[in-house]
Amino acid sequence: MSRESVLVSADWVEQHLDDPKVVLLEVDEDTTAYDKNHIRGAVKVNWNEDLRDPVRRDILTKEQFESLLSRLGVSPDDTVVLYGGNNNWFAAYAYWEFKYYGHEDVRLLDGGRKKWELDNRELVDDVPERTPTQYTAKEPDTSIRAFRDEVVGAIGDKNLVDVRSPDEYAGRLLAPAHLPQEVSQVPGHIPTAANIPWSKAANDDGTFRSDDELRELYSEAGVDLNNDTIAYCRIGERSSHTWFVLREILGVPNVKNYDGSWTEYGSLVGVPVAVGDEPGRA
Amino acid sequence: MCGATTGGVSLDDVDVAKETIIQGVVYRDDAPLAGAYVRLLDSSGEFTAEVPTSATGQFRFFAAPGTWTVRTLAPGAESVDRSVVASKGAVNTVDVTVG
């Protein structure tokens, strides 16, 4: 992997707006953002309804993923470009899920919706009609997904990277500050996890920092990227952003996203938890 | 919007006593500005959250008591930083004007 094969610029997207092999998908946390306007030709993916199982807490099954991509009119050999609000958090989550089910060519629009808007580029409200396909997914790539038992076993052994804000890591906040704070799980972080907020990997306009800056960010925080790494946040979307940085931009092989994240871990009975600004002991 | 707090969208569904709310309106040329991006930075300058402003220029954060910086980005404008000391159970209002 390299930056060029996983990230595209806004200029690149403008040059490929009429390319039939490029499918633009907008993924937002605020699922009404697309309805107001979007990049011409882009199709809406509703994070809440389209990328998760409707009943259980889980991502889509292979069959559900196939049905989604068929409905969106995506073929396995299409280049899928994902973008969205919140600095591409949910677009990165979708990217990770697309990779989990083996879609070959997926890319993120660098800077997402915010950079596009700050550049004053064209947004439209026409909703395109795409012809459905018969999409066949691959078997899940479990090398990029961590489950809770592996996370508990990683304490003091593998790299754990908590990408939430310092206040969430320390336990002073329970959710990102644009959301109400009343939730059920306990505050804190997984002992030994380093706190490297996802935002340190991005510029103010939402674009990713340079490869050199990114490498320095993790090495300065004492993360040995030769060791296995598990990234987590609250629900797995911001950690997808960091997973994207490490595995897709920097090409670090052994990086997993723990999509159960703090909403699962902080609700488990009997597991160790650290509070405060220090990582804590195994 | 009878009884609404100045600069705020409805707080009907929010238990204000339990929250530390920071909210306000972004203006350009004396008019509310939709689609600006407002980021909340903690006392060390670290990013904590970001929201786009609503159709009526409004934004809101659920923070913790302490000192915060509200940074506003808008197309064609320099970013604007405003400091706010927020307390629990209060609606801490910060209005921002961008150039």
Side-chain angles (χ1 to χ4, degrees):
Chain A
M1 283 298 154
S2 67
R3 176 174 286 256
E4 291 70 31
S5 60
V6 296
L7 260 188
V8 294
S9 66
D11 285 345
W12 188 95
V13 168
E14 282 189 339
Q15 287 155 15
H16 289 81
L17 285 177
D18 298 307
D19 184 336
K21 293 311 286 177
V22 173
V23 183
L24 266 177
L25 301 178
E26 174 164 333
V27 193
D28 288 309
E29 178 184 32
D30 169 13
T31 53
T32 62
Y34 175 93
D35 301 335
K36 277 177 252 167
N37 52 33
H38 45 264
I39 300 176
R40 179 163 65 81
V43 184
K44 176 183 184 175
V45 175
N46 183 323
W47 167 75
N48 213 6
E49 293 173 5
D50 294 335
L51 294 175
R52 304 195 297 175
D53 187 282
V55 178
R56 300 169 306 121
R57 178 161 182 223
D58 206 344
I59 59 172
L60 302 176
T61 63
K62 179 165 173 277
E63 291 69 31
Q64 288 167 335
F65 183 78
E66 287 173 336
S67 138
L68 170 69
L69 268 70
S70 300
R71 174 168 68 77
L72 295 172
V74 176
S75 298
D77 62 344
D78 283 342
T79 297
V80 172
V81 176
L82 297 159
Y83 75 97
N86 287 64
N87 299 278
N88 273 337
W89 288 359
F90 290 86
Y93 180 87
Y95 181 105
W96 169 77
E97 198 165 332
F98 274 58
K99 280 296 177 192
Y100 188 69
Y101 286 117
H103 193 86
E104 204 66 41
D105 191 357
V106 195
R107 308 180 194 197
L108 283 185
L109 164 58
D110 201 11
R113 192 177 161 112
K114 177 168 64 175
K115 166 82 172 144
W116 191 276
E117 288 181 9
L118 291 174
D119 285 354
N120 270 322
R121 294 177 193 260
E122 182 195 29
L123 292 163
V124 302
D125 53 15
D126 298 341
V127 175
E129 281 195 21
R130 295 190 58 82
T131 310
T133 53
Q134 287 284 327
Y135 189 93
T136 306
K138 295 183 181 157
E139 288 306 312
D141 177 3
T142 52
S143 74
I144 64 172
R145 187 180 194 197
F147 293 92
R148 60 178 180 268
D149 291 348
E150 183 181 359
V151 171
V152 174
I155 296 171
D157 182 20
K158 297 177 179 172
N159 300 319
L160 288 165
V161 178
D162 185 320
V163 315
R164 297 173 299 164
S165 65
D167 282 311
E168 292 173 84
Y169 176 84
R172 291 184 288 269
L173 291 179
L174 271 158
H178 65 285
L179 301 171
Q181 297 294 313
E182 296 169 53
V183 287
S184 55
Q185 66 268 20
V186 299
H189 57 267
I190 304 174
T192 73
N195 182 208
I196 309 173
W198 70 273
S199 53
K200 288 189 183 295
N203 299 303
D204 274 4
D205 66 6
T207 56
F208 290 97
R209 294 190 187 276
S210 71
D211 289 7
D212 288 346
E213 288 171 320
L214 293 173
R215 269 191 213 94
E216 196 180 321
L217 169 63
Y218 296 95
S219 62
E220 272 194 356
V223 176
D224 175 8
L225 293 176
N226 294 314
N227 195 359
D228 295 349
T229 301
I230 297 172
Y232 75 93
C233 58
R234 186 178 69 102
I235 54 172
E237 85 298 16
R238 286 174 285 176
S239 51
S240 298
H241 187 278
T242 293
W243 172 85
F244 180 85
V245 167
L246 290 171
R247 192 169 187 280
E248 303 297 280
I249 296 183
L250 296 181
V252 178
N254 304 319
V255 185
K256 292 185 178 185
N257 180 30
Y258 172 36
D259 58 304
S261 271
W262 193 255
T263 47
E264 174 174 84
Y265 191 95
S267 304
L268 293 175
V269 174
V271 295
V273 169
V275 288
D277 295 305
E278 297 303 318
R281 296 202 180 138
Chain B
M1 292 277 284
C2 180
T5 309
T6 307
V9 284
S10 169
L11 283 160
D12 288 352
D13 298 331
V14 177
D15 186 349
V16 176
K18 290 184 180 172
E19 303 282 358
T20 303
I21 295 169
I22 299 172
Q23 65 178 29
V25 177
V26 176
Y27 295 95
R28 175 184 265 162
D29 300 331
D30 294 328
L33 179 64
Y37 283 87
V38 184
R39 357 184 81 196
L40 185 69
L41 311 178
D42 70 16
S43 57
S44 70
E46 186 55 56
F47 176 98
T48 304
E50 179 180 271
V51 290
T53 53
S54 69
T56 46
Q58 293 159 323
F59 66 89
R60 173 181 296 158
F61 296 109
F62 298 92
T67 303
W68 301 87
T69 298
V70 171
R71 175 172 295 171
T72 305
L73 286 76
E78 296 287 319
S79 68
V80 175
D81 284 5
R82 292 283 310 274
S83 181
V84 56
V85 179
S87 53
K88 188 172 178 175
V91 176
N92 305 274
T93 303
V94 189
D95 290 336
V96 179
T97 299
V98 297

